[in-house]
């Protein structure tokens, strides 16, 4: 079904045309003065110059053609030329009942579905997820869900870092500690063990120890670089170790991403792109795209009109080694071959802007992608602590994501326990987990992705204000009312929304009509914060209605059923939206 703004705009456009003016002036917006009207059209102001008439005269002409409209209960021209409108309740009720009856609350899937690959993971194997991985995962997951709701084929890829120096460091450190392992015996020709020679916890200790040693011991680093080279050139023992590292790491990563309610369709790795590199490099050479500069193979990507320095995109170093650029370009080649996407969207730290400018320009210039393939960089800001600096542990280190989630879940459990008769509630821990996830995700997603924000645990876990727990509390409040009505013997089947009994009920109705617009805008702008803003407004509208109205105490059964139908729609809209943000609501709080 159409957005309500589109329906009203069609009405105004028709009135402009009937009055002898161009229909394009009939665009309608939400009023920024809700005390005066619900919707407003400023087209008469813009038309005044073109038609050499006073804007109020144009507005009055248009209003004259709307006097008998069934859409409005009030439409008036106001100096200097505004057209103010209020909706007829019958029109509004009809629209909401249609929303309630239709699939996806009346949201129509796109007529032109696209295939879009999203790169929104990027963790390195053998390292635990930390808070620096939070935004990419949360924003990417939400954009994936919104895109699927709109009707596109969204393919999420974790894109693991598994092929760089960190592998050589781990292998070297493991060799120092356990030289007797068969992986280090060049004469060994048997089957390698099926079980890994380390646990995830040992692996997570090995890498930082190796990394620290390599910064102080040049010979050790040289050995690690040689191990990396050996791995990448087919050393069977090292490849067997590498597979163990992958299996142990990926299993742990999946477990931790699951705690965030984040999933990926693809668990592709940097190494998956390696087979594409030789042919890609040769192609760039053969077609004159790449040239040697200071011994390195580069592609010039500077363009006329650049206001900043855009260095060449380096394809191979002077020693012939590949770089991240090389791997990312080869990954684009792989994605084009496997999925032929209309768009590849990268959700990455905004400080990577220059890097992705180079990679995208190189991919376009060398025709690794088709001319109409979109390469999009969605750069996100930093998650900071209250001190305005990147979020750290109390000791000043980088906080593990697992620890952050655990801390917030414990805080939520404490708050829930304080509000219930006993802390031994069997579902209290699960409820705390659900609410804790809403606090984390909503706290992040309610901010515009490109902006830095302060991760304030106290504020994000509050049940008041613009927070995830407040949204969930609103949903649970609605569920409670519906359950009470059902427990009293009432049925929630075949209810229809009816005439509003007060202004707050009509305001709730008007807020519900913004659902389709909110989803469309969030998708078009890659902006989950638009959905957050919408459901916060909707939750406020519901709570105002709730506090001013006796719903179950209403004696008029028809009125009561109408209000319950409105509650059902409000719950469904809120739950649909939080699902698109990547969390859910508990049954009680």
């Amino acid at each position: 079904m159409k957005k309500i703004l589109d329906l009203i705009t069609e009405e105004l456009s028709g009135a402009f045309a009937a009055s002898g003016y161009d229909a394009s002036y009939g665009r309608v917006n939400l009023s920024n003065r809700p005390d005066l009207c619900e919707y407003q059209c400023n087209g008469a102001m813009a038309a005044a110059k073109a038609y050499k008439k006073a804007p109020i005269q144009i507005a009055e002409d248009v209003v004259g053609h709307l006097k008998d409209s069934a859409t409005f209960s009030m439409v008036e021209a106001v100096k200097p030329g505004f057209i103010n409108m209020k909706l007829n309740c019958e029109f509004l009720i009809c629209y909401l009942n249609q929303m309630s009856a239709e699939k996806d609350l009346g949201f129509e899937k796109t007529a032109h579905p696209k295939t879009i690959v999203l790169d929104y993971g990027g963790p390195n194997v053998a390292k635990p997820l930390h808070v620096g991985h939070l935004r990419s995962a949360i924003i990417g997951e939400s954009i994936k869900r919104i895109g699927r709701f709109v009707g596109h084929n969204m393919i999420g890829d974790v894109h693991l870092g598994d092929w760089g120096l960190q592998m050589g460091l781990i292998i070297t450190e493991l060799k120092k500690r356990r030289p007797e392992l068969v992986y280090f015996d060049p004469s060994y020709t048997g089957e390698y063990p099926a079980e890994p020679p380390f646990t995830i916890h040992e692996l997570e200790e090995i890498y930082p120890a190796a990394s620290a040693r390599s910064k102080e011991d040049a010979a050790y680093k040289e050995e690690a670089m040689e191990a990396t080279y050996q791995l990448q050139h087919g050393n069977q023992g090292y490849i067997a170790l590498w597979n163990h590292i992958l299996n142990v790491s990926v299993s742990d990563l999946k477990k931790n991403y699951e705690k965030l309610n984040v999933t990926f369709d693809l668990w592709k790795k940097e190494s998956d792109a390696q087979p594409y590199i030789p042919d890609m490099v040769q192609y760039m050479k053969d077609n004159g795209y790449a040239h040697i500069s200071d011994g390195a193979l580069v592609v010039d990507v500077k363009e006329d009109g650049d206001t900043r320095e855009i260095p060449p995109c380096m394809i191979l170093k002077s020693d012939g080694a590949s770089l991240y650029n090389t791997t990312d370009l080869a990954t684009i080649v792989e994605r084009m071959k496997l999925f032929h996407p209309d768009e590849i969207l990268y959700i990455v730290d905004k400080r990577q802007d220059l890097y992705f400018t180079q990679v995208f320009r190189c991919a376009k210039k060398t025709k690794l992608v088709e001319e109409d393939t979109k390469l999009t960089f969605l750069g996100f800001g930093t998650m900071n602590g209250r001190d305005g600096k990147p979020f750290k542990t109390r000791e000043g280190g980088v906080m593990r994501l697992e620890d952050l989630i655990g801390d917030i879940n414990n805080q939520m459990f404490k708050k829930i326990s304080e509000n219930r008769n006993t802390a031994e509630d069997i579902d209290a821990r699960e409820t705390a987990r659900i609410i804790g996830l809403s606090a984390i995700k909503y706290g992040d997603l309610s901010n515009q992705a490109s902006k830095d924000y302060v991760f304030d645990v106290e504020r994000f876990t509050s049940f008041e204000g613009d927070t995830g727990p407040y949204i969930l509390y609103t949903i649970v409040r609605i569920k409670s009312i519906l359950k009470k009505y059902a427990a009293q013997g009432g049925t929630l089947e075949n209810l229809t929304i009816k005439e509003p009994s007060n202004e707050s009920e009509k305001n709730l109705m008007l807020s519900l009509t913004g659902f389709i617009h909110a989803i469309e805008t969030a998708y078009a702008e890659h902006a989950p914060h638009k959905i957050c803003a919408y459901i916060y407004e909707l939750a406020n509208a519901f709570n105002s209605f709730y506090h001013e109205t006796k719903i179950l105490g209403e004696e008029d059964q028809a009125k009561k059923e109408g209000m319950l139908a409105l509650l059902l729609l409000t719950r469904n809209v809120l739950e649909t939206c939080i699902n698109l943000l990547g969390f859910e609501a508990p049954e009680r709080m």
Side-chain angles (χ1 to χ4, degrees):
M1 59 191 286
K2 291 184 178 179
K3 299 194 296 286
I4 201 161
L5 273 173
D6 289 347
L7 293 174
I8 303 169
T9 293
E10 286 176 7
E11 187 103 7
L12 266 290
S13 296
F16 268 90
S19 304
Y21 308 111
D22 193 288
S24 64
Y25 292 112
R27 184 168 183 79
V28 174
N29 296 302
L30 282 169
S31 171
N32 56 11
R33 287 290 306 275
D35 55 320
L36 299 178
C37 58
E38 295 160 356
Y39 298 91
Q40 191 172 70
C41 174
N42 302 333
M45 312 283 282
K49 185 176 181 180
Y51 292 95
K52 295 181 173 55
K53 280 187 177 181
I56 189 63
Q57 184 181 347
I58 296 173
E60 287 173 348
D61 291 343
V62 173
V63 167
H65 285 87
L66 295 169
K67 290 295 186 185
D68 299 322
S69 170
T71 303
F72 307 109
S73 62
M74 182 274 282
V75 56
E76 61 182 8
V78 179
K79 288 183 178 180
F82 302 118
I83 299 174
N84 293 347
M85 295 152 277
K86 287 187 177 181
L87 289 186
N88 185 310
C89 284
E90 288 184 11
F91 173 81
L92 179 58
I93 291 164
C94 180
Y95 186 87
L96 294 178
N97 280 322
Q98 187 181 350
M99 266 185 76
S100 298
E102 292 201 6
K103 183 183 177 184
D104 292 329
L105 301 167
F107 189 94
E108 294 180 6
K109 303 291 186 188
T110 179
H112 305 287
K114 296 178 180 178
T115 295
I116 301 171
V117 174
L118 293 92
D119 189 320
Y120 63 101
N124 289 319
V125 300
K127 295 183 187 178
L129 290 176
H130 56 76
V131 293
H133 296 110
L134 186 70
R135 300 212 73 190
S136 180
I138 287 177
I139 296 167
E141 180 69 19
S142 181
I143 290 173
K144 180 186 73 177
R145 290 174 180 230
I146 295 167
R148 285 181 178 166
F149 189 80
V150 171
H152 297 293
N153 176 28
M154 311 293 284
I155 303 171
D157 185 5
V158 69
H159 193 62
L160 295 169
D162 73 323
W163 204 236
L165 180 60
Q166 80 264 29
M167 293 295 106
L169 287 167
I170 294 167
I171 291 169
T172 299
E173 182 64 19
L174 198 60
K175 188 176 182 179
K176 299 288 186 189
R177 297 183 183 192
R178 300 184 62 186
E180 77 283 358
L181 292 173
V182 295
Y183 308 97
F184 306 118
D185 181 356
S187 64
Y188 184 77
T189 58
E191 290 288 325
Y192 289 102
E195 291 300 313
F198 42 69
T199 66
I200 183 62
H201 299 295
E202 289 169 336
L203 189 58
E204 289 175 356
E205 183 273 325
I206 288 170
Y207 174 74
S211 179
R213 183 171 174 181
S214 72
K215 292 171 184 173
E216 299 173 355
D217 186 336
Y220 183 91
K221 184 174 183 181
E222 188 66 32
E223 195 174 339
M225 291 172 70
E226 176 60 23
T228 305
Y229 179 87
Q230 290 290 332
L231 168 68
Q232 294 178 354
H233 287 78
N235 182 305
Q236 292 304 300
Y238 290 2
I239 288 173
L241 269 179
W242 170 70
N243 279 314
H244 284 316
I245 294 167
L246 279 178
N247 292 336
V248 170
S249 293
V250 169
S251 176
D252 187 65
L253 286 169
K254 285 182 176 180
K255 180 186 72 176
N256 282 290
Y257 275 123
E258 189 177 323
K259 290 178 181 177
L260 281 175
N261 204 12
V262 169
T263 60
F264 299 94
D265 305 286
L266 305 173
W267 284 80
K268 287 284 187 177
K269 311 172 292 295
E270 281 183 304
S271 57
D272 290 321
Q274 301 306 307
Y276 296 90
I277 290 177
D279 287 346
M280 180 187 77
V281 171
Q282 193 61 47
Y283 160 80
M284 289 182 177
K285 289 178 179 178
D286 291 346
N287 287 275
Y289 295 123
H291 65 91
I292 301 296
S293 174
D294 295 328
L297 186 70
V298 303
V299 174
D300 291 325
V301 292
K302 185 178 180 181
E303 295 178 358
D304 294 339
D306 282 340
T307 57
R308 61 173 174 166
E309 184 65 29
I310 308 293
C313 184
M314 191 181 297
I315 307 302
L316 295 176
K317 293 194 291 186
S318 58
D319 62 0
S322 59
L323 307 95
Y324 284 122
N325 307 43
T326 327
T327 301
D328 276 324
L329 287 164
T331 299
I332 289 173
V333 172
E334 181 190 32
R335 287 168 175 167
M336 292 302 295
K337 179 180 178 181
L338 297 181
F339 308 109
H340 200 73
D342 298 283
E343 180 178 4
I344 307 176
L345 173 61
Y346 295 78
I347 297 99
V348 189
D349 190 311
K350 66 181 180 182
R351 290 170 290 190
Q352 298 284 334
D353 176 49
L354 176 59
Y355 170 79
F356 278 99
T357 297
Q358 291 174 289
V359 170
F360 291 174
R361 286 188 181 183
C362 185
K364 287 285 188 181
K365 181 175 181 177
T366 60
K367 298 182 171 58
L368 299 184
V369 296
E370 295 178 5
E371 195 172 328
D372 59 352
T373 304
K374 286 184 70 177
L375 297 172
T376 306
F377 171 72
L378 178 61
F380 55 78
T382 308
M383 170 184 159
N384 296 324
R386 285 183 175 180
D387 59 0
K389 297 177 182 178
F391 199 85
K392 301 281 186 182
T393 63
R394 288 194 181 106
E395 293 74 32
V398 177
M399 179 173 277
R400 291 176 60 135
L401 200 49
E402 195 172 21
D403 294 338
L404 176 68
I405 294 170
D407 287 350
I408 288 181
N409 288 352
N410 287 334
Q411 287 204 35
M412 294 313 312
F413 178 71
K414 184 179 177 183
K415 288 188 178 186
I416 291 168
S417 300
E418 288 170 355
N419 292 332
R420 293 189 180 181
N421 293 331
T422 173
E424 298 303 318
D425 248 322
I426 58 171
D427 69 337
R429 281 287 176 191
E430 175 61 10
T431 301
R433 182 195 67 78
I434 294 170
I435 302 172
L437 185 60
S438 81
I440 293 169
K441 287 201 163 188
Y442 190 93
D444 188 298
L445 293 171
S446 58
N447 296 278
Q448 187 174 332
S450 61
K451 294 184 177 179
D452 299 345
Y453 78 98
V454 173
F455 193 91
D456 187 336
V457 175
E458 280 302 311
R459 184 169 72 82
F460 288 177
T461 57
S462 173
F463 287 89
E464 298 177 353
D466 190 7
T467 69
Y470 170 71
I471 301 298
L472 296 195
Y473 190 76
T474 301
I475 295 171
V476 170
R477 173 174 275 167
I478 296 170
K479 287 181 176 181
S480 176
I481 295 169
L482 297 173
K483 283 178 185 174
K484 284 180 183 176
Y485 180 71
Q488 292 168 3
T491 178
L492 298 171
E493 300 293 323
N494 302 316
L495 298 179
T496 57
I497 297 166
K498 297 182 176 66
E499 188 88 11
S501 56
N502 54 38
E503 195 66 26
S504 64
E505 187 172 2
K506 187 179 184 187
N507 287 339
L508 174 57
M509 291 178 170
L510 289 167
S511 187
L512 284 163
T513 65
F515 168 73
I516 295 174
H517 178 71
I519 303 302
E520 284 187 354
T521 304
Y523 173 74
E525 299 179 12
H526 300 313
H529 72 278
K530 299 281 186 178
I531 293 178
C532 293
Y534 170 67
I535 59 175
Y536 180 54
E537 173 212 320
L538 179 58
N540 284 337
F542 167 76
N543 284 311
S544 293
F545 165 63
Y546 170 81
H547 288 299
E548 293 179 18
T549 313
K550 291 182 178 179
I551 299 171
L552 295 181
E554 173 58 55
E555 295 182 0
D556 186 317
Q557 184 63 20
K559 274 189 178 182
K560 183 192 294 186
E561 289 179 356
M563 288 189 281
L564 291 166
L566 187 62
L567 263 62
L568 281 168
L569 179 57
T570 304
R571 181 202 65 188
N572 292 343
V573 168
L574 287 170
E575 290 200 317
T576 298
C577 288
I578 64 171
N579 180 262
L580 297 180
L581 297 175
F583 57 93
E584 61 184 342
E587 288 305 307
R588 66 186 188 119
M589 287 170 70

